[in-house]
Amino acid sequence: MKAILVHEFGGPEQLKFEEIPTPKPATGQVLVRVRAAGVNPYDTYMRAGTYPVKPPLPYTPGSDAAGVVEAVGDGVTKVKPGDRVYTASTITGAYAEYCLSLENQVRTLPASISFSQGAGIFVPYATAYHALFHEAKTRASETVLIHGASGGVGTAAIQIARTIGCTILGTAGTAKGLDLVKREGAHQTFDHTKPGYTQEIVKGTGGRGVDVILEMLANVNLSNDLKMLAIHGRVIIIGNRGEITITPRDLMARRSVARGFTLWALTEAEMNDCFAGIGAGLSNGMLRPIVAKELPLKDAPQAHVDVLAPGASGKIVLTT
Ligand code: NAP
């Protein structure tokens, strides 16, 4: 099969398009014929060697694939060859024509969701679901600021928060991104490249502040986030690429909290909640992954450049 391999940590040029043996499913494993693989920012940190998790080299990147079950190992009962599925992590990597997953890492892909959309489910939607419900304990009557709403996690969070009835404020850095954020359901949109936009956000809440902030770039925004919160507000740190100084008094004055998480640390019970919510939302049409761009698998190096560039409008996926 064709697959992307990383032999050395480094720049996007380390993503090599190669021919390797197609894996075979062992007991409890599922072999998926991958039709699309989602490109997540953490794939780039892992490739660069800067992510806390360093896979043994060489490795094939990617946790989010969508495709069709090709074969199953002994003991697998939940899926069978021919089933449409998406993966929530893989054993062998999603950037390939075939990938192996454990049985509990594959989930049914509803017929209404394309393979490219399916490649944008696991990391973005589980992250958004967990942040909103398990970390922030968001209620329908609350105001949610999605700080970085135009990308994979942001668009997922808009759709989920909109489903339960929250008032949503979303930011993006381009006109295209702002249009998307509005179209997906944000009640108010703000350009995070514009000076003074955080004061506009507070004005947009009538001066009260926001109850929940989902933060995609904490090293840039956390200090301002703390000043935009309502009393008992919560900042949930999802993305961070560096250091920042904050004024703790901003938390004290609002009896507020800032907390963070990584998706890999979720408990089984939390993960089951995420899958139940996501599965229902995909089936009833409330959740519709947004595909910004499809590139052929061999263009993985370009996809890694694009995913870190400004101007997000949903997910970048690799097709095979
Ligand atoms: P993405 O699709 O590349 O989107 C990035 C988002 O960040 C876009 O909406 C982008 O907006 C926005 N952004 C850029 N500059 C910003 C600024 N100054 N202020 C606020 N937002 C800004 O990435 P993603 O998949 O949504 O992931 C977002 C972040 O969360 C990444 O850092 C990722 O590594 C992290 N993440 C963490 C977890 C976890 O387990 N904690 C899970 C998933 C993702 P424009 O492009 O419109 O400027």
Side-chain angles (χ1 to χ4, degrees):
M1 67 172 184
K2 295 278 195 286
I4 297 293
L5 258 82
V6 174
H7 294 272
E8 264 179 73
F9 296 120
E13 72 284 354
Q14 296 300 336
L15 298 163
K16 308 288 188 200
F17 186 60
E18 296 182 4
E19 184 88 32
I20 60 168
T22 304
K24 289 192 173 44
T27 301
Q29 297 180 350
V30 178
L31 180 68
V32 178
R33 168 66 177 99
V34 178
R35 300 289 300 278
V39 177
N40 287 298
Y42 93 86
D43 299 343
T44 71
Y45 321 149
M46 194 176 267
R47 183 217 68 228
T50 57
Y51 200 61
V53 180
K54 287 186 185 54
L57 297 169
Y59 79 99
T60 295
S63 50
D64 296 6
V68 176
V69 174
E70 178 79 10
V72 297
D74 288 346
V76 171
T77 56
K78 288 195 193 123
V79 292
K80 58 182 186 319
D83 286 356
R84 298 173 91 249
V85 292
Y86 71 92
T87 66
S89 299
T90 74
I91 300 166
T92 52
Y95 291 18
E97 286 178 326
Y98 293 86
C99 74
L100 277 182
S101 287
L102 297 173
E103 182 178 22
N104 69 359
Q105 292 172 330
V106 296
R107 302 278 151 170
T108 301
L109 186 67
S112 56
I113 306 292
S114 71
F115 291 122
S116 288
Q117 287 178 299
I121 296 175
F122 173 59
V123 167
Y125 281 85
T127 299
Y129 188 98
H130 176 75
L132 281 166
F133 297 122
H134 299 140
E135 298 288 347
K137 308 214 180 323
T138 309
R139 299 186 300 274
S141 59
E142 293 190 305
T143 303
V144 178
L145 168 64
I146 302 168
H147 211 167
S150 50
V153 178
T155 49
I158 300 173
Q159 293 173 2
I160 297 171
R162 189 66 198 231
T163 300
I164 64 161
C166 298
T167 301
I168 302 164
L169 291 74
T171 78
T174 62
K176 191 176 171 198
L178 288 163
D179 281 350
L180 174 68
V181 170
K182 187 98 200 159
R183 209 164 54 241
E184 288 308 310
H187 297 89
Q188 297 182 55
T189 58
F190 301 87
D191 182 341
H192 53 229
T193 66
K194 235 168 105 184
Y197 79 96
T198 57
Q199 287 97 305
E200 292 303 313
I201 289 174
V202 176
K203 268 193 214 154
T205 66
R208 180 183 168 274
V210 291
D211 298 300
V212 173
I213 300 179
L214 302 192
E215 180 51 64
M216 304 304 156
L217 200 54
N219 54 300
V220 172
N221 295 322
L222 186 58
S223 172
N224 284 332
D225 286 346
L226 301 186
K227 300 179 198 326
M228 287 192 274
L229 286 176
I231 304 295
H232 290 301
R234 292 87 77 198
V235 178
I236 310 302
I237 299 168
I238 295 177
N240 181 62
R241 293 179 183 163
E243 295 188 356
I244 184 167
T245 301
I246 61 160
T247 304
R249 185 157 293 283
D250 291 329
L251 291 167
M252 294 155 69
R254 294 167 182 79
R255 303 171 70 184
S256 54
V257 294
R259 50 191 296 161
F261 70 94
T262 63
L263 188 59
W264 315 121
L266 265 61
T267 63
E268 197 182 334
E270 288 170 331
M271 211 45 114
N272 286 340
D273 255 358
C274 294
F275 286 128
I278 293 166
L282 292 172
S283 301
N284 68 23
M286 301 305 286
L287 305 184
R288 311 157 306 277
I290 307 293
V291 178
K293 193 189 280 185
E294 293 171 310
L295 291 169
L297 182 61
K298 69 174 174 41
D299 290 349
Q302 185 59 49
H304 273 211
V305 173
D306 293 351
V307 75
L308 294 184
S313 58
K315 286 294 305 178
I316 297 173
V317 302
L318 297 167
T319 54
T320 69

